[in-house]
Amino acid sequence: MKIAFYGSSIVSAYWNGAATYYRGLLRALAQKGYDIIFYEPDVYDRQKNRDIDPPEWCGVVVYDGTVEALKTVTAEAARADIVVKASGVGFEDDLLLQEVLRNAPPRALKIFWDVDAPATLAELRGDPDHVLRKALGELDLVLTYGGGDPVVDAYRSLGAANCVPVYNALDPVTHHPVPHDARFSADLGFLGNRLPDREARVEHFFLEPAARLPHQTFLLGGSGWGDKSMSENVNFIGHVSTRDHNAFNVTPKAVLNISRASMAENGFSPATRVFEAAGAGACLITDYWEGIELFLKPEEEVLVARDGQDVADILAGLDRERAKAIGERALARVLSEHTYVHRAEAVDRLFRSHAGAAREAAE
């Protein structure tokens, strides 16, 4: 089956946290025989900051950030069996959805894939005339990056025919154990861009513990933190290319996951970082969010902190031997249950069952 997938970017992770999610899932779907073309706009300097070349398992069409170019690429949806519009594409998202649905053939399976369900749902609740809210009746399926029952129930209450979470996972081809790299030596590392929905939590869970533990070293990677006040034991290194993520994850004694506020409040929303860190065999400390035990077992495969004091206490009592054991158990767990091959098997079943229903409805 042919998939036309309209998303933010698959070749660039620059200000694009969904990149590894797209890559892992679409690679695994391609291995199951799907013929995929990914359409992405040339916006936000992503094309200037590519971290992979166009992959052999997925066609990539980069289009100008203009309405004319958008209409040209959405016309190609007419040749697809499955048409996917993702959230947060970054250029004229409402028009993109309208044009995708207008051009998709009646027999095609039409999907909205939400990579930030809490934010999207907040928009829909606040705007009865929102383009997506009006389009839910035309869509065969809503897939989400996470969210569990609260997101499923919310989408259905707004008119979605069906909503299914497809959680983040590990792509062991790209995220795996590597030797330690002295550039990333630290007691605790955190990697994440500076975002309004995360900044206060980074202060609470990372910068405050750093100030409390002056004799331990902290490593901060990501864009936007250059003018942020931080203690002298924090080493800020800026943007970290995806090619260095494995070394960044495995070299510090532990690494920290800090969910965006909306994701933490909603629960059941493991970030890609959770699986990337586990895939590298890192000892992961994560902020608490409901549902974590569905993915990793607290105290054995992951360490859980409810506030900054918990982070400081965990780090003060954590030795390298225990950290190594936690990382090894986390790696074994995600390899056995949480790879993108596992996710693609579930998505493939969804596609095939819903595609049959879509064809019957069109006849």
Side-chain angles (χ1 to χ4, degrees), residues 284-328:
L284 178 67
I285 302 171
T286 183
D287 59 335
Y288 173 80
W289 39 271
E290 187 176 359
I292 188 171
E293 66 281 354
L294 299 177
F295 306 96
L296 293 169
K297 187 173 183 179
E299 299 303 315
E300 294 187 16
E301 299 164 343
V302 66
L303 299 173
V304 180
R306 291 181 178 270
D307 54 31
Q309 185 61 56
D310 277 357
V311 174
D313 291 344
I314 289 170
L315 198 59
L318 182 67
D319 59 37
R320 289 274 178 180
E321 183 177 358
R322 185 180 179 220
K324 183 174 183 290
I326 290 170
E328 289 173 347

mmCIF file of all heavy atoms in Angstrom, residues 284-328:
data_model
loop_
_atom_site.group_PDB
_atom_site.id
_atom_site.type_symbol
_atom_site.label_atom_id
_atom_site.label_comp_id
_atom_site.label_asym_id
_atom_site.label_seq_id
_atom_site.Cartn_x
_atom_site.Cartn_y
_atom_site.Cartn_z
ATOM 1 N N LEU A 284 18.300 5.948 33.515
ATOM 2 C CA LEU A 284 17.383 7.064 33.312
ATOM 3 C C LEU A 284 16.673 7.442 34.596
ATOM 4 O O LEU A 284 16.112 6.586 35.288
ATOM 5 C CB LEU A 284 16.339 6.686 32.249
ATOM 6 C CG LEU A 284 15.266 7.739 31.946
ATOM 7 C CD1 LEU A 284 15.891 8.963 31.286
ATOM 8 C CD2 LEU A 284 14.172 7.155 31.061
ATOM 9 N N ILE A 285 16.706 8.739 34.895
ATOM 10 C CA ILE A 285 15.852 9.318 35.935
ATOM 11 C C ILE A 285 14.773 10.103 35.205
ATOM 12 O O ILE A 285 15.075 10.935 34.349
ATOM 13 C CB ILE A 285 16.637 10.266 36.855
ATOM 14 C CG1 ILE A 285 17.817 9.545 37.516
ATOM 15 C CG2 ILE A 285 15.718 10.864 37.925
ATOM 16 C CD1 ILE A 285 18.759 10.479 38.280
ATOM 17 N N THR A 286 13.523 9.858 35.505
ATOM 18 C CA THR A 286 12.451 10.597 34.851
ATOM 19 C C THR A 286 11.554 11.263 35.871
ATOM 20 O O THR A 286 11.378 10.768 36.999
ATOM 21 C CB THR A 286 11.597 9.681 33.960
ATOM 22 O OG1 THR A 286 10.593 10.462 33.285
ATOM 23 C CG2 THR A 286 10.890 8.596 34.757
ATOM 24 N N ASP A 287 10.989 12.407 35.485
ATOM 25 C CA ASP A 287 9.928 12.993 36.292
ATOM 26 C C ASP A 287 8.743 12.037 36.287
ATOM 27 O O ASP A 287 8.560 11.250 35.362
ATOM 28 C CB ASP A 287 9.533 14.363 35.744
ATOM 29 C CG ASP A 287 9.058 14.322 34.300
ATOM 30 O OD1 ASP A 287 9.445 13.396 33.554
ATOM 31 O OD2 ASP A 287 8.299 15.214 33.887
ATOM 32 N N TYR A 288 7.932 12.106 37.330
ATOM 33 C CA TYR A 288 6.793 11.190 37.417
ATOM 34 C C TYR A 288 5.694 11.589 36.446
ATOM 35 O O TYR A 288 5.380 12.758 36.271
ATOM 36 C CB TYR A 288 6.212 11.187 38.836
ATOM 37 C CG TYR A 288 4.929 10.392 38.913
ATOM 38 C CD1 TYR A 288 4.952 9.010 38.987
ATOM 39 C CD2 TYR A 288 3.685 11.028 38.849
ATOM 40 C CE1 TYR A 288 3.774 8.272 39.013
ATOM 41 C CE2 TYR A 288 2.493 10.305 38.870
ATOM 42 C CZ TYR A 288 2.557 8.926 38.953
ATOM 43 O OH TYR A 288 1.382 8.200 38.960
ATOM 44 N N TRP A 289 5.101 10.589 35.799
ATOM 45 C CA TRP A 289 3.876 10.766 35.025
ATOM 46 C C TRP A 289 3.105 9.445 35.068
ATOM 47 O O TRP A 289 3.684 8.359 35.133
ATOM 48 C CB TRP A 289 4.149 11.195 33.582
ATOM 49 C CG TRP A 289 5.336 10.544 32.941
ATOM 50 C CD1 TRP A 289 6.625 10.995 32.966
ATOM 51 C CD2 TRP A 289 5.349 9.326 32.185
ATOM 52 N NE1 TRP A 289 7.435 10.139 32.276
ATOM 53 C CE2 TRP A 289 6.689 9.107 31.783
ATOM 54 C CE3 TRP A 289 4.373 8.407 31.801
ATOM 55 C CZ2 TRP A 289 7.070 7.999 31.026
ATOM 56 C CZ3 TRP A 289 4.743 7.308 31.039
ATOM 57 C CH2 TRP A 289 6.079 7.106 30.664
ATOM 58 N N GLU A 290 1.801 9.573 35.090
ATOM 59 C CA GLU A 290 0.960 8.390 35.210
ATOM 60 C C GLU A 290 1.174 7.464 34.016
ATOM 61 O O GLU A 290 1.205 7.892 32.875
ATOM 62 C CB GLU A 290 -0.518 8.788 35.285
ATOM 63 C CG GLU A 290 -1.434 7.613 35.589
ATOM 64 C CD GLU A 290 -2.888 8.022 35.751
ATOM 65 O OE1 GLU A 290 -3.171 9.239 35.640
ATOM 66 O OE2 GLU A 290 -3.725 7.141 35.980
ATOM 67 N N GLY A 291 1.345 6.179 34.301
ATOM 68 C CA GLY A 291 1.479 5.176 33.263
ATOM 69 C C GLY A 291 2.898 4.736 32.978
ATOM 70 O O GLY A 291 3.117 3.853 32.139
ATOM 71 N N ILE A 292 3.885 5.296 33.682
ATOM 72 C CA ILE A 292 5.262 4.937 33.371
ATOM 73 C C ILE A 292 5.526 3.449 33.535
ATOM 74 O O ILE A 292 6.312 2.842 32.808
ATOM 75 C CB ILE A 292 6.261 5.760 34.215
ATOM 76 C CG1 ILE A 292 7.685 5.504 33.715
ATOM 77 C CG2 ILE A 292 6.120 5.464 35.689
ATOM 78 C CD1 ILE A 292 8.731 6.395 34.302
ATOM 79 N N GLU A 293 4.827 2.821 34.484
ATOM 80 C CA GLU A 293 5.070 1.400 34.743
ATOM 81 C C GLU A 293 4.647 0.510 33.578
ATOM 82 O O GLU A 293 5.017 -0.674 33.523
ATOM 83 C CB GLU A 293 4.335 0.966 36.018
ATOM 84 C CG GLU A 293 2.825 0.993 35.938
ATOM 85 C CD GLU A 293 2.227 2.385 36.102
ATOM 86 O OE1 GLU A 293 2.996 3.335 36.400
ATOM 87 O OE2 GLU A 293 1.010 2.525 35.935
ATOM 88 N N LEU A 294 3.891 1.042 32.617
ATOM 89 C CA LEU A 294 3.543 0.268 31.424
ATOM 90 C C LEU A 294 4.752 0.100 30.504
ATOM 91 O O LEU A 294 4.735 -0.780 29.630
ATOM 92 C CB LEU A 294 2.421 0.966 30.650
ATOM 93 C CG LEU A 294 1.089 1.155 31.367
ATOM 94 C CD1 LEU A 294 0.127 1.921 30.484
ATOM 95 C CD2 LEU A 294 0.507 -0.192 31.769
ATOM 96 N N PHE A 295 5.775 0.905 30.707
ATOM 97 C CA PHE A 295 6.923 0.910 29.810
ATOM 98 C C PHE A 295 8.214 0.468 30.488
ATOM 99 O O PHE A 295 8.976 -0.309 29.928
ATOM 100 C CB PHE A 295 7.088 2.311 29.205
ATOM 101 C CG PHE A 295 5.839 2.818 28.541
ATOM 102 C CD1 PHE A 295 4.957 3.649 29.226
ATOM 103 C CD2 PHE A 295 5.523 2.428 27.252
ATOM 104 C CE1 PHE A 295 3.786 4.105 28.627
ATOM 105 C CE2 PHE A 295 4.356 2.874 26.642
ATOM 106 C CZ PHE A 295 3.480 3.700 27.331
ATOM 107 N N LEU A 296 8.460 0.948 31.699
ATOM 108 C CA LEU A 296 9.648 0.579 32.458
ATOM 109 C C LEU A 296 9.264 0.430 33.932
ATOM 110 O O LEU A 296 8.409 1.169 34.429
ATOM 111 C CB LEU A 296 10.739 1.638 32.322
ATOM 112 C CG LEU A 296 11.382 1.808 30.936
ATOM 113 C CD1 LEU A 296 12.237 3.071 30.907
ATOM 114 C CD2 LEU A 296 12.198 0.588 30.545
ATOM 115 N N LYS A 297 9.906 -0.494 34.624
ATOM 116 C CA LYS A 297 9.573 -0.761 36.024
ATOM 117 C C LYS A 297 10.368 0.170 36.938
ATOM 118 O O LYS A 297 11.602 0.130 36.962
ATOM 119 C CB LYS A 297 9.870 -2.220 36.376
ATOM 120 C CG LYS A 297 9.398 -2.613 37.766
ATOM 121 C CD LYS A 297 9.563 -4.107 37.992
ATOM 122 C CE LYS A 297 9.017 -4.494 39.361
ATOM 123 N NZ LYS A 297 9.160 -5.965 39.596
ATOM 124 N N PRO A 298 9.662 1.018 37.707
ATOM 125 C CA PRO A 298 10.354 1.931 38.610
ATOM 126 C C PRO A 298 11.255 1.193 39.597
ATOM 127 O O PRO A 298 10.945 0.101 40.057
ATOM 128 C CB PRO A 298 9.204 2.653 39.331
ATOM 129 C CG PRO A 298 8.083 2.628 38.337
ATOM 130 C CD PRO A 298 8.204 1.282 37.664
ATOM 131 N N GLU A 299 12.392 1.807 39.880
ATOM 132 C CA GLU A 299 13.425 1.332 40.794
ATOM 133 C C GLU A 299 14.281 0.208 40.231
ATOM 134 O O GLU A 299 15.377 -0.030 40.700
ATOM 135 C CB GLU A 299 12.840 0.885 42.160
ATOM 136 C CG GLU A 299 12.143 1.987 42.912
ATOM 137 C CD GLU A 299 13.055 3.180 43.147
ATOM 138 O OE1 GLU A 299 14.219 2.988 43.538
ATOM 139 O OE2 GLU A 299 12.601 4.312 42.927
ATOM 140 N N GLU A 300 13.784 -0.504 39.226
ATOM 141 C CA GLU A 300 14.568 -1.574 38.619
ATOM 142 C C GLU A 300 15.058 -1.225 37.218
ATOM 143 O O GLU A 300 16.198 -1.526 36.854
ATOM 144 C CB GLU A 300 13.760 -2.867 38.570
ATOM 145 C CG GLU A 300 13.453 -3.446 39.934
ATOM 146 C CD GLU A 300 12.806 -4.813 39.850
ATOM 147 O OE1 GLU A 300 12.860 -5.443 38.769
ATOM 148 O OE2 GLU A 300 12.241 -5.263 40.866
ATOM 149 N N GLU A 301 14.194 -0.591 36.429
ATOM 150 C CA GLU A 301 14.537 -0.240 35.051
ATOM 151 C C GLU A 301 14.567 1.268 34.814
ATOM 152 O O GLU A 301 15.048 1.723 33.784
ATOM 153 C CB GLU A 301 13.532 -0.886 34.089
ATOM 154 C CG GLU A 301 13.539 -2.406 34.172
ATOM 155 C CD GLU A 301 12.312 -3.049 33.534
ATOM 156 O OE1 GLU A 301 11.304 -2.336 33.305
ATOM 157 O OE2 GLU A 301 12.357 -4.259 33.271
ATOM 158 N N VAL A 302 14.071 2.013 35.764
ATOM 159 C CA VAL A 302 14.059 3.474 35.687
ATOM 160 C C VAL A 302 13.924 4.026 37.094
ATOM 161 O O VAL A 302 13.338 3.385 37.979
ATOM 162 C CB VAL A 302 12.894 3.963 34.786
ATOM 163 C CG1 VAL A 302 11.540 3.631 35.415
ATOM 164 C CG2 VAL A 302 12.992 5.448 34.487
ATOM 165 N N LEU A 303 14.473 5.208 37.325
ATOM 166 C CA LEU A 303 14.330 5.888 38.608
ATOM 167 C C LEU A 303 13.374 7.059 38.414
ATOM 168 O O LEU A 303 13.462 7.775 37.418
ATOM 169 C CB LEU A 303 15.688 6.377 39.107
ATOM 170 C CG LEU A 303 16.719 5.252 39.344
ATOM 171 C CD1 LEU A 303 18.086 5.842 39.671
ATOM 172 C CD2 LEU A 303 16.257 4.317 40.451
ATOM 173 N N VAL A 304 12.460 7.240 39.353
ATOM 174 C CA VAL A 304 11.378 8.211 39.197
ATOM 175 C C VAL A 304 11.470 9.290 40.266
ATOM 176 O O VAL A 304 11.606 8.999 41.457
ATOM 177 C CB VAL A 304 9.998 7.510 39.261
ATOM 178 C CG1 VAL A 304 8.873 8.536 39.084
ATOM 179 C CG2 VAL A 304 9.900 6.414 38.204
ATOM 180 N N ALA A 305 11.398 10.543 39.818
ATOM 181 C CA ALA A 305 11.467 11.689 40.725
ATOM 182 C C ALA A 305 10.188 12.503 40.622
ATOM 183 O O ALA A 305 9.724 12.800 39.524
ATOM 184 C CB ALA A 305 12.672 12.562 40.392
ATOM 185 N N ARG A 306 9.639 12.867 41.758
ATOM 186 C CA ARG A 306 8.424 13.697 41.764
ATOM 187 C C ARG A 306 8.742 15.179 41.882
ATOM 188 O O ARG A 306 7.856 16.015 41.689
ATOM 189 C CB ARG A 306 7.485 13.254 42.889
ATOM 190 C CG ARG A 306 6.875 11.876 42.632
ATOM 191 C CD ARG A 306 5.928 11.458 43.738
ATOM 192 N NE ARG A 306 5.312 10.168 43.466
ATOM 193 C CZ ARG A 306 4.169 9.990 42.812
ATOM 194 N NH1 ARG A 306 3.502 11.031 42.365
ATOM 195 N NH2 ARG A 306 3.684 8.785 42.612
ATOM 196 N N ASP A 307 9.968 15.515 42.234
ATOM 197 C CA ASP A 307 10.359 16.921 42.318
ATOM 198 C C ASP A 307 11.883 17.006 42.270
ATOM 199 O O ASP A 307 12.586 15.993 42.202
ATOM 200 C CB ASP A 307 9.808 17.594 43.573
ATOM 201 C CG ASP A 307 10.168 16.868 44.862
ATOM 202 O OD1 ASP A 307 11.256 16.244 44.905
ATOM 203 O OD2 ASP A 307 9.389 16.924 45.821
ATOM 204 N N GLY A 308 12.382 18.230 42.329
ATOM 205 C CA GLY A 308 13.811 18.440 42.250
ATOM 206 C C GLY A 308 14.571 17.855 43.422
ATOM 207 O O GLY A 308 15.706 17.399 43.269
ATOM 208 N N GLN A 309 13.961 17.867 44.605
ATOM 209 C CA GLN A 309 14.625 17.276 45.758
ATOM 210 C C GLN A 309 14.816 15.780 45.554
ATOM 211 O O GLN A 309 15.859 15.218 45.928
ATOM 212 C CB GLN A 309 13.811 17.530 47.025
ATOM 213 C CG GLN A 309 14.500 17.055 48.300
ATOM 214 C CD GLN A 309 15.836 17.750 48.536
ATOM 215 O OE1 GLN A 309 15.896 18.974 48.585
ATOM 216 N NE2 GLN A 309 16.900 16.965 48.669
ATOM 217 N N ASP A 310 13.820 15.120 44.942
ATOM 218 C CA ASP A 310 13.973 13.693 44.635
ATOM 219 C C ASP A 310 15.157 13.460 43.696
ATOM 220 O O ASP A 310 15.913 12.503 43.863
ATOM 221 C CB ASP A 310 12.701 13.152 43.976
ATOM 222 C CG ASP A 310 11.620 12.777 44.974
ATOM 223 O OD1 ASP A 310 11.869 12.883 46.185
ATOM 224 O OD2 ASP A 310 10.530 12.384 44.526
ATOM 225 N N VAL A 311 15.297 14.320 42.692
ATOM 226 C CA VAL A 311 16.425 14.182 41.767
ATOM 227 C C VAL A 311 17.745 14.284 42.532
ATOM 228 O O VAL A 311 18.657 13.464 42.353
ATOM 229 C CB VAL A 311 16.372 15.240 40.653
ATOM 230 C CG1 VAL A 311 17.639 15.179 39.791
ATOM 231 C CG2 VAL A 311 15.144 15.043 39.778
ATOM 232 N N ALA A 312 17.852 15.287 43.399
ATOM 233 C CA ALA A 312 19.078 15.480 44.176
ATOM 234 C C ALA A 312 19.351 14.278 45.075
ATOM 235 O O ALA A 312 20.491 13.803 45.174
ATOM 236 C CB ALA A 312 18.979 16.765 44.993
ATOM 237 N N ASP A 313 18.311 13.760 45.729
ATOM 238 C CA ASP A 313 18.478 12.619 46.628
ATOM 239 C C ASP A 313 18.889 11.364 45.861
ATOM 240 O O ASP A 313 19.763 10.606 46.302
ATOM 241 C CB ASP A 313 17.182 12.350 47.389
ATOM 242 C CG ASP A 313 16.848 13.443 48.401
ATOM 243 O OD1 ASP A 313 17.753 14.244 48.734
ATOM 244 O OD2 ASP A 313 15.692 13.505 48.838
ATOM 245 N N ILE A 314 18.237 11.138 44.718
ATOM 246 C CA ILE A 314 18.577 9.968 43.904
ATOM 247 C C ILE A 314 20.026 10.048 43.456
ATOM 248 O O ILE A 314 20.789 9.083 43.568
ATOM 249 C CB ILE A 314 17.651 9.875 42.681
ATOM 250 C CG1 ILE A 314 16.235 9.482 43.105
ATOM 251 C CG2 ILE A 314 18.190 8.870 41.658
ATOM 252 C CD1 ILE A 314 15.204 9.610 41.989
ATOM 253 N N LEU A 315 20.416 11.210 42.969
ATOM 254 C CA LEU A 315 21.760 11.366 42.420
ATOM 255 C C LEU A 315 22.819 11.242 43.516
ATOM 256 O O LEU A 315 23.877 10.626 43.309
ATOM 257 C CB LEU A 315 21.867 12.717 41.721
ATOM 258 C CG LEU A 315 23.019 12.899 40.743
ATOM 259 C CD1 LEU A 315 22.948 11.859 39.638
ATOM 260 C CD2 LEU A 315 22.979 14.301 40.150
ATOM 261 N N ALA A 316 22.530 11.794 44.688
ATOM 262 C CA ALA A 316 23.493 11.741 45.794
ATOM 263 C C ALA A 316 23.747 10.301 46.238
ATOM 264 O O ALA A 316 24.847 9.975 46.705
ATOM 265 C CB ALA A 316 22.997 12.588 46.961
ATOM 266 N N GLY A 317 22.741 9.431 46.113
ATOM 267 C CA GLY A 317 22.885 8.053 46.571
ATOM 268 C C GLY A 317 23.149 7.036 45.473
ATOM 269 O O GLY A 317 23.155 5.834 45.734
ATOM 270 N N LEU A 318 23.357 7.496 44.241
ATOM 271 C CA LEU A 318 23.498 6.592 43.100
ATOM 272 C C LEU A 318 24.968 6.370 42.772
ATOM 273 O O LEU A 318 25.702 7.320 42.506
ATOM 274 C CB LEU A 318 22.783 7.190 41.888
ATOM 275 C CG LEU A 318 22.771 6.362 40.605
ATOM 276 C CD1 LEU A 318 21.948 5.089 40.782
ATOM 277 C CD2 LEU A 318 22.213 7.198 39.440
ATOM 278 N N ASP A 319 25.390 5.101 42.787
ATOM 279 C CA ASP A 319 26.765 4.816 42.371
ATOM 280 C C ASP A 319 26.765 4.236 40.958
ATOM 281 O O ASP A 319 25.734 3.859 40.420
ATOM 282 C CB ASP A 319 27.461 3.866 43.354
ATOM 283 C CG ASP A 319 26.758 2.525 43.524
ATOM 284 O OD1 ASP A 319 26.225 1.985 42.523
ATOM 285 O OD2 ASP A 319 26.731 2.001 44.655
ATOM 286 N N ARG A 320 27.931 4.193 40.360
ATOM 287 C CA ARG A 320 28.053 3.751 38.967
ATOM 288 C C ARG A 320 27.590 2.310 38.777
ATOM 289 O O ARG A 320 27.017 1.964 37.738
ATOM 290 C CB ARG A 320 29.502 3.902 38.506
ATOM 291 C CG ARG A 320 29.944 5.338 38.307
ATOM 292 C CD ARG A 320 29.601 5.828 36.924
ATOM 293 N NE ARG A 320 29.986 7.228 36.717
ATOM 294 C CZ ARG A 320 29.782 7.868 35.571
ATOM 295 N NH1 ARG A 320 29.218 7.251 34.553
ATOM 296 N NH2 ARG A 320 30.136 9.132 35.447
ATOM 297 N N GLU A 321 27.836 1.465 39.762
ATOM 298 C CA GLU A 321 27.466 0.057 39.624
ATOM 299 C C GLU A 321 25.951 -0.111 39.529
ATOM 300 O O GLU A 321 25.444 -0.825 38.660
ATOM 301 C CB GLU A 321 28.008 -0.741 40.809
ATOM 302 C CG GLU A 321 27.735 -2.243 40.709
ATOM 303 C CD GLU A 321 28.336 -3.020 41.858
ATOM 304 O OE1 GLU A 321 29.012 -2.406 42.722
ATOM 305 O OE2 GLU A 321 28.140 -4.248 41.908
ATOM 306 N N ARG A 322 25.219 0.572 40.408
ATOM 307 C CA ARG A 322 23.761 0.467 40.346
ATOM 308 C C ARG A 322 23.226 1.121 39.085
ATOM 309 O O ARG A 322 22.301 0.617 38.452
ATOM 310 C CB ARG A 322 23.120 1.121 41.573
ATOM 311 C CG ARG A 322 21.593 0.904 41.584
ATOM 312 C CD ARG A 322 20.908 1.521 42.760
ATOM 313 N NE ARG A 322 19.476 1.288 42.677
ATOM 314 C CZ ARG A 322 18.538 2.180 42.995
ATOM 315 N NH1 ARG A 322 18.903 3.378 43.441
ATOM 316 N NH2 ARG A 322 17.264 1.887 42.877
ATOM 317 N N ALA A 323 23.800 2.243 38.717
ATOM 318 C CA ALA A 323 23.366 2.925 37.497
ATOM 319 C C ALA A 323 23.537 2.014 36.285
ATOM 320 O O ALA A 323 22.649 1.930 35.424
ATOM 321 C CB ALA A 323 24.161 4.215 37.313
ATOM 322 N N LYS A 324 24.652 1.311 36.220
ATOM 323 C CA LYS A 324 24.907 0.406 35.104
ATOM 324 C C LYS A 324 23.880 -0.722 35.060
ATOM 325 O O LYS A 324 23.361 -1.084 33.995
ATOM 326 C CB LYS A 324 26.320 -0.162 35.212
ATOM 327 C CG LYS A 324 26.745 -1.063 34.064
ATOM 328 C CD LYS A 324 28.218 -1.429 34.215
ATOM 329 C CE LYS A 324 28.681 -2.273 33.029
ATOM 330 N NZ LYS A 324 28.077 -3.625 33.053
ATOM 331 N N ALA A 325 23.537 -1.268 36.223
ATOM 332 C CA ALA A 325 22.569 -2.368 36.289
ATOM 333 C C ALA A 325 21.178 -1.904 35.847
ATOM 334 O O ALA A 325 20.460 -2.624 35.138
ATOM 335 C CB ALA A 325 22.514 -2.933 37.704
ATOM 336 N N ILE A 326 20.783 -0.698 36.271
ATOM 337 C CA ILE A 326 19.480 -0.159 35.860
ATOM 338 C C ILE A 326 19.443 0.026 34.350
ATOM 339 O O ILE A 326 18.463 -0.327 33.686
ATOM 340 C CB ILE A 326 19.202 1.170 36.591
ATOM 341 C CG1 ILE A 326 18.955 0.909 38.075
ATOM 342 C CG2 ILE A 326 17.996 1.891 35.968
ATOM 343 C CD1 ILE A 326 18.900 2.163 38.918
ATOM 344 N N GLY A 327 20.516 0.565 33.789
ATOM 345 C CA GLY A 327 20.567 0.762 32.349
ATOM 346 C C GLY A 327 20.496 -0.541 31.578
ATOM 347 O O GLY A 327 19.827 -0.625 30.537
ATOM 348 N N GLU A 328 21.155 -1.566 32.063
ATOM 349 C CA GLU A 328 21.135 -2.867 31.376
ATOM 350 C C GLU A 328 19.738 -3.475 31.397
ATOM 351 O O GLU A 328 19.280 -4.060 30.401
ATOM 352 C CB GLU A 328 22.144 -3.808 32.037
ATOM 353 C CG GLU A 328 23.588 -3.432 31.754
ATOM 354 C CD GLU A 328 24.578 -4.268 32.540
ATOM 355 O OE1 GLU A 328 24.138 -4.973 33.488
ATOM 356 O OE2 GLU A 328 25.789 -4.215 32.230
#
